[in-house]
Amino acid sequence: MSASAPPASPHVMNTYGRLPIALERGQGCRVWDVDGRQYLDALGGIAVNTLGHNHPKLVPALQDQVAKLIHSSNYYHVPLQEQLAAQLVERSGMTNVFFCNSGLEANEAALKLARKYGHDKGIERPQIVVYEKAFHGRSIATLSATGNPKVQAGFGPLVEGFIRVPMNDIEAIRKATEGNPDVVAVFFETIQGEGGVNPMRIEYLQQLRQLCDERNWLMMIDEVQCGMGRTGKWFAHQWAGIVPDVMPLAKGLGSGVPIGAVVAGPKAANIFAPGNHGTTFGGNPLAMRAGVETIRIMEEEGLMQNAADVGAHLKAALQRELGSLPGVKDIRGQGLMLGIELDRPCGVLVGRAAEAGLLLSVTAESVIRMVPSLILTREEADEIVSLLAPLVKAFLAE
């Protein structure tokens, strides 16, 4: 690893356990540190860098926009908002979009939508069903919706109004909400990211859609990490053939430019009125241009199909190399959102992989997570396996 990477700054708040690496530039799925050391990037900025680094079509478009208008504020119409909203509506089968700056903000807006939906129906203390192991952000409300006691520790009292259930168990949610007239929404990730790359089953998603229809609840699907083509469809829930009422997006939508969005269907599209919600930076022209160009380039280059194909190739190769090892509990996920669950905490592998020239993360303590850019090639997928497999084997043999 880079010997001359800067030490932790005395002036930057100590909120991250960083590796001793300072990255300087990137090209495609590769990045270089300040000492010129190269890494294969299997983390993609945590599922953010959809088009990789320094994409030859994205960079000139952003340079063009910076020279025109970066920010104007929502006192005025922003034509690029209309353009990006129309593209998201078309691809989601939903109707309206609110733009913000991050996944946390998009999830916070979804929670506000659900509460307002309840209040509009005369429910004084609306309740929202959330899930074990979920992660929706680190604001006080999204932290309260999150299913990780470690992340919540030290920040109580948490926001009330959440009912927590296990994944993929329709009877559990029926039982937890039975006879409760205050439930207004169900809120979940199609594939949990921070919780350990845990997918919702297709039949469960369909049962949940039916339950929401029966009980007039909002179905709110957090597609912040698993959306924007990562699984081989625009949004991961589309594999189940369902349409949510509310869908927060962020991460990959801007290919590295900060952006968030809440897409709403007919049941939720008109809940907010002027004054109910807002943002200073959200929907700025630069972020909107990044979103418009990301979608255009994804379609021009067939990146959703690439995510499906290369993801399946990578998963099969990981299964072949590691699947039968004692200590490997599961290899799961879809497209280019994959996790390898080990039977013990394996955070040490993040640093060892970086030493070997591979960037990835470990989440939920024992799950190796890979969410590379959607431009990843089969050759690069094979390279990930060739770098990672020996490290996992050596670790499990310790």
Side-chain angles (χ1 to χ4, degrees):
M1 216 177 295
S2 173
S4 60
S9 166
H11 308 300
V12 175
M13 205 175 278
N14 182 27
T15 53
Y16 302 104
R18 301 182 199 264
L19 294 176
I21 296 171
L23 298 176
E24 187 174 56
R25 64 186 177 91
Q27 185 64 54
C29 287
R30 297 182 192 278
V31 289
W32 285 262
D33 67 19
V34 291
D35 292 330
R37 181 120 194 266
Q38 178 184 295
Y39 306 84
L40 179 57
D41 184 4
L43 189 58
I46 319 179
V48 166
N49 299 322
T50 299
L51 306 175
H53 303 278
N54 193 28
H55 193 286
K57 294 177 186 172
L58 180 67
V59 170
L62 295 182
Q63 289 171 330
D64 172 69
Q65 189 59 46
V66 165
K68 286 178 176 171
L69 195 62
I70 296 174
H71 178 80
S72 60
S73 106
N74 286 299
Y75 280 159
Y76 319 105
H77 286 280
V78 181
L80 282 163
Q81 279 189 24
E82 295 296 331
Q83 200 177 333
L84 182 55
Q87 293 183 350
L88 291 173
V89 161
E90 180 189 342
R91 286 156 185 80
S92 66
M94 297 166 79
T95 59
N96 293 77
V97 187
F98 170 82
F99 290 109
C100 50
N101 307 289
S102 67
L104 178 154
E105 286 182 39
N107 286 334
E108 187 88 17
L111 296 175
K112 283 182 70 175
L113 272 172
R115 284 193 166 190
K116 182 80 165 51
Y117 176 72
H119 281 280
D120 289 349
K121 292 201 295 183
I123 298 170
E124 273 187 44
R125 301 175 83 83
Q127 294 187 298
I128 300 167
V129 177
V130 291
Y131 284 79
E132 294 171 3
K133 299 184 181 177
F135 182 87
H136 298 293
R138 294 176 186 272
S139 68
I140 295 296
T142 56
L143 191 68
S144 303
T146 288
N148 183 339
K150 283 189 176 178
V151 174
Q152 294 169 334
F155 297 104
L158 298 176
V159 174
E160 63 175 42
F162 295 104
I163 298 168
R164 197 167 304 283
V165 298
M167 288 179 75
N168 294 316
D169 183 345
I170 200 69
E171 288 313 311
I173 187 172
R174 285 184 183 278
K175 190 174 175 185
T177 59
E178 195 174 347
N180 186 342
D182 295 337
V183 177
V184 294
V186 181
F187 187 37
F188 61 91
E189 303 148 274
T190 319
I191 303 174
Q192 292 181 338
E194 303 301 317
V197 193
N198 304 311
M200 292 276 193
R201 289 199 301 268
I202 281 178
E203 62 273 21
Y204 180 76
L205 291 168
Q206 293 165 342
Q207 291 168 333
L208 212 46
R209 177 69 271 183
Q210 192 177 345
L211 187 64
C212 289
D213 291 340
E214 283 170 14
R215 301 197 179 175
N216 205 23
W217 298 342
L218 293 178
M219 181 186 237
M220 308 201 304
I221 306 187
D222 174 349
E223 288 269 351
V224 167
Q225 191 164 146
C226 55
M228 290 314 297
R230 181 150 293 281
T231 64
K233 286 193 185 288
W234 282 110
F235 312 110
H237 67 263
Q238 290 176 329
W239 291 100
I242 59 168
V243 180
D245 301 304
V246 179
M247 177 176 67
L249 297 173
K251 289 192 181 287
L253 178 56
S255 295
V257 176
I259 188 171
V262 183
V263 190
K267 202 191 277 192
N270 299 307
I271 293 171
F272 282 161
N276 287 151
H277 199 57
T279 166
T280 298
F281 292 104
N284 68 75
L286 180 61
M288 297 299 95
R289 183 73 183 270
V292 167
E293 298 294 341
T294 295
I295 290 173
R296 175 180 71 83
I297 295 163
M298 282 178 68
E299 291 189 325
E300 281 180 9
E301 300 192 356
L303 293 186
M304 271 200 301
Q305 190 60 50
N306 188 69
D309 293 346
V310 176
H313 176 82
L314 176 56
K315 190 177 180 183
L318 290 168
Q319 197 72 52
R320 195 168 53 245
E321 281 294 316
L322 301 172
S324 59
L325 290 181
V328 174
K329 289 177 73 173
D330 196 15
I331 296 173
R332 58 179 177 260
Q334 191 167 7
L336 288 173
M337 183 173 181
L338 299 174
I340 305 166
E341 184 178 4
L342 304 186
D343 65 357
R344 66 203 76 170
C346 59
V348 68
L349 286 173
V350 176
R352 292 181 190 178
E355 289 275 8
L358 177 65
L359 303 185
L360 44 72
S361 74
V362 165
T363 190
E365 294 190 348
S366 59
V367 181
I368 302 163
R369 171 177 53 171
M370 285 162 285
V371 279
S373 301
L374 305 194
I375 61 169
L376 191 80
T377 64
R378 283 180 173 236
E379 292 72 27
E380 287 165 336
D382 290 338
E383 193 179 335
I384 289 172
V385 178
S386 69
L387 291 168
L388 180 60
L391 297 175
V392 174
K393 288 172 183 174
F395 172 74
L396 291 174
E398 286 173 5

